[in-house]
Amino acid sequence: KKSGKKPREVVKMKRMAVVMIMLLMGIVSGAWAELKLGINYPGIQIGYLSGNGKIALDVRGEKGNDIWTIGPRISFYSSEWEKGIIPFFAIEGDYISFKGSVSEGSGFAFQPMVGIERISNIGINIGIEITAGGAYLSLKDKSTGFKESGIEPVIGMGLNLYF
């Protein structure tokens, strides 16, 4: 007999689907002006920059040897988007899955950060961004139920193309 409860993984994936649908609705409604494709170490991102150039919404995924993450990021630029150096504040939330030689599990990360992006036009708008912040991580081992959480410093770098 089934308990009627949904596995946590299904609930988390449904939440991610809601975020992606919201992003798609923004694209269709014309609220977003420019497509943003990027690479960051060690992952990729896709998103949109708002019509006024002050907000960007991204979905980011990263994969390491024993870990992968996926989640949305919203960035608030200090001024209208234009060429030059633009400071910004961002908030990111990620689902984390890990599998090592001794443990396997999942969790989440919440990361407020500050950054700068240098925008240039070389036939296409290209941006190089640097971010820094503290990520609150909460992880749980699948087999033992052991939980670990804490704040870790995070520094990031990425390359973005705007279309």
Side-chain angles (χ1 to χ4, degrees):
K1 189 175 182 180
K2 293 184 179 179
S3 67
K5 287 187 175 181
K6 296 179 183 173
R8 286 182 153 201
E9 302 294 322
V10 172
V11 172
K12 290 175 184 175
M13 293 308 284
K14 284 185 177 182
R15 288 182 185 153
M16 186 58 61
V18 168
V19 169
M20 297 220 187
I21 289 169
M22 290 172 58
L23 178 62
L24 183 60
M25 288 171 53
I27 296 165
V28 172
S29 71
W32 305 98
E34 295 202 37
L35 174 66
K36 175 182 180 181
L37 297 175
I39 56 173
N40 56 67
Y41 180 77
I44 59 170
Q45 61 198 39
I46 183 170
Y48 273 86
L49 184 67
S50 66
N52 69 2
K54 288 194 171 188
I55 299 173
L57 180 61
D58 304 327
V59 175
R60 302 169 53 88
E62 297 176 349
K63 173 119 177 65
N65 289 338
D66 299 328
I67 187 169
W68 66 267
T69 68
I70 187 167
R73 176 192 283 186
I74 186 164
S75 302
F76 302 93
Y77 292 91
S78 64
S79 61
E80 287 188 19
W81 192 83
E82 56 186 51
K83 293 166 193 61
I85 296 176
I86 306 166
F88 65 91
F89 170 77
I91 300 171
E92 184 173 333
D94 293 309
Y95 169 75
I96 302 170
S97 179
F98 63 92
K99 183 176 182 177
S101 58
V102 232
S103 65
E104 177 180 357
S106 61
F108 70 90
F110 173 75
Q111 180 181 347
M113 68 193 84
V114 294
I116 57 171
E117 187 166 8
R118 170 73 166 111
I119 309 295
S120 298
N121 187 319
I122 53 172
I124 187 170
N125 286 327
I126 188 168
I128 297 172
E129 71 177 32
I130 298 171
T131 58
Y136 173 78
L137 303 170
S138 178
L139 303 172
K140 181 179 179 182
D141 184 87
K142 187 190 277 185
S143 61
T144 65
F146 180 74
K147 292 181 180 180
E148 183 70 27
S149 61
I151 297 175
E152 294 289 330
V154 177
I155 297 174
M157 187 172 192
L159 177 69
N160 301 310
L161 300 175
Y162 295 89
F163 301 93

